[in-house]
Amino acid sequence: MESRLEELVEEAKGGNRDALQEVIQGVQDRIYNLAVRMLWHPEDAEDATQEILVKIVTRLGSFRGESAFTTWCHRIACNHLLTTRKRRAERAELSLELFEEDVASGLAYAERVSPVQPEQDLLAKEVMIACIQGVLLCLDRRQRVAFILGVVYELDGNRGGYVLGITPEAYRKRLSRAKTLVRGFLLRTCGLVNEANPCRCERQIPYAMKSRLVNPQRLLFATHSADSERDGQVPACLRDMDEVQRLTTLFRQPEYRAPNTFVERLKGLMAAEGLG
């Protein structure tokens, strides 16, 4: 796939509009998935993805093949996401300590209300994804992006350091710190990671609805278009995995499909750049 993308890049740089559209389609899902995990809300991720793709298109001529094209795109995307304005979910300024209190409040609230019956499986899936991605929001942006690159995209020290513009050692330290924070929180709170914990996604539904984290009439994650093999369902074999596998599995899914709108939106830009 990478070699084909780089062939298309060369054709696009030569003015082939169809090739440029294929380039956009080839990277938009990975950019969008990165943006969702950084910004939490799909609409904010869509806006950020659009902005990033504009930068990729306008800077395409500067790609010299010194890294893989997708790595080069990650570098542009991460720089944008680290410097862009705070989006709606980030303004809440979550912390792992406050999140842990919310988990306890959700369990206490569940004891006082009737369980949710309609669409419970779907709502539990929404809670699970919103919660797992909410954990990422508790990290600062530098830790968050390092965690996503290292855990979701499995970038090693050299590639991760290149993407973030830091040394491989600095990237590994940042990733290790983020992993330690996330692991500690989930081991203390999450029943999916540590079965000794009382928290279960379905038990958090009433509190999530009360606090408006989940809106049954407008689900953000559970019904989002995703790769069918990584659509946000908890694997049946999760309990058979070791701790590291559980953590990585939870954060690597779902693998979203980007809204099929970016090519159309960028057509005007392509024409302006003389690519159409």
Side-chain angles (χ1 to χ4, degrees), residues 143-186:
Q143 292 173 336
R144 195 185 318 156
V145 74
F147 185 91
I148 296 166
L149 292 176
V151 173
V152 179
Y153 293 102
E154 301 180 88
L155 296 195
D156 60 19
N158 289 329
R159 288 189 299 159
Y162 168 81
V163 167
L164 296 181
I166 58 179
T167 66
E169 181 181 7
Y171 166 74
R172 285 191 291 267
K173 286 182 178 179
R174 194 175 297 176
L175 173 58
S176 176
R177 174 61 176 160
K179 282 183 174 180
T180 298
L181 290 171
V182 169
R183 174 181 175 274
F185 173 82
L186 292 178

Side-chain angles (χ1 to χ4, degrees), residues 6-243:
E6 292 178 6
E7 290 174 8
L8 289 168
V9 168
E10 292 306 311
E11 293 176 23
K13 286 161 70 173
N16 186 324
R17 178 174 179 174
D18 291 337
L20 182 55
Q21 291 185 2
E22 286 193 58
V23 169
I24 294 168
Q25 290 168 337
V27 300
Q28 64 182 9
D29 283 354
R30 67 176 58 232
I31 300 299
Y32 179 72
N33 275 271
L34 175 62
V36 170
R37 285 167 171 81
M38 281 294 291
L39 304 176
W40 193 84
H41 201 292
E43 288 179 3
D44 291 333
E46 187 172 346
D47 290 343
T49 301
Q50 175 71 26
E51 294 161 3
I52 293 164
L53 290 173
V54 167
K55 289 184 177 181
I56 289 172
V57 169
T58 56
R59 299 176 188 179
L60 205 59
S62 68
F63 176 67
R64 298 287 182 264
E66 296 171 354
S67 67
F69 180 67
T70 52
T71 304
W72 182 80
C73 290
H74 272 141
R75 182 168 177 142
I76 292 174
C78 288
N79 183 65
H80 180 86
L81 291 165
L82 285 168
T83 57
T84 190
R85 68 188 184 282
K86 282 189 176 181
R87 308 301 170 112
R88 72 189 86 181
E90 291 180 301
R91 295 186 195 116
E93 297 186 346
L94 290 175
S95 69
L96 292 173
E97 293 76 19
L98 289 174
F99 203 166
E100 196 163 344
E101 290 175 10
D102 262 358
V103 170
S105 296
L107 293 174
Y109 186 73
E111 297 293 333
R112 305 195 303 269
V113 299
S114 301
V116 177
Q117 305 331 357
E119 303 290 335
Q120 177 153 311
D121 289 347
L122 194 63
L123 292 173
K125 178 180 174 181
E126 180 80 358
V127 167
M128 182 195 73
I129 301 172
C131 181
I132 289 298
Q133 294 191 177
V135 171
L136 294 176
L137 280 181
C138 295
L139 304 174
D140 66 40
R141 279 185 170 180
R142 296 195 309 165
Q143 292 173 336
R144 195 185 318 156
V145 74
F147 185 91
I148 296 166
L149 292 176
V151 173
V152 179
Y153 293 102
E154 301 180 88
L155 296 195
D156 60 19
N158 289 329
R159 288 189 299 159
Y162 168 81
V163 167
L164 296 181
I166 58 179
T167 66
E169 181 181 7
Y171 166 74
R172 285 191 291 267
K173 286 182 178 179
R174 194 175 297 176
L175 173 58
S176 176
R177 174 61 176 160
K179 282 183 174 180
T180 298
L181 290 171
V182 169
R183 174 181 175 274
F185 173 82
L186 292 178
L187 283 174
R188 291 192 305 272
T189 61
C190 180
L192 293 174
V193 174
N194 180 0
E195 293 182 359
N197 293 321
C199 188
R200 298 293 184 273
C201 301
E202 59 273 13
R203 295 188 67 193
Q204 292 288 350
I205 294 171
Y207 188 74
M209 292 171 60
K210 175 179 178 288
S211 59
R212 298 184 180 180
L213 176 68
V214 168
N215 178 354
Q217 280 71 52
R218 188 169 181 264
L219 299 179
L220 298 179
F221 305 110
T223 57
H224 196 299
S225 177
D227 187 296
S228 59
E229 294 182 359
R230 293 171 66 178
D231 68 349
Q233 297 286 359
V234 178
C237 59
L238 191 64
R239 67 178 54 194
D240 298 324
M241 297 178 178
D242 63 28
E243 179 190 303

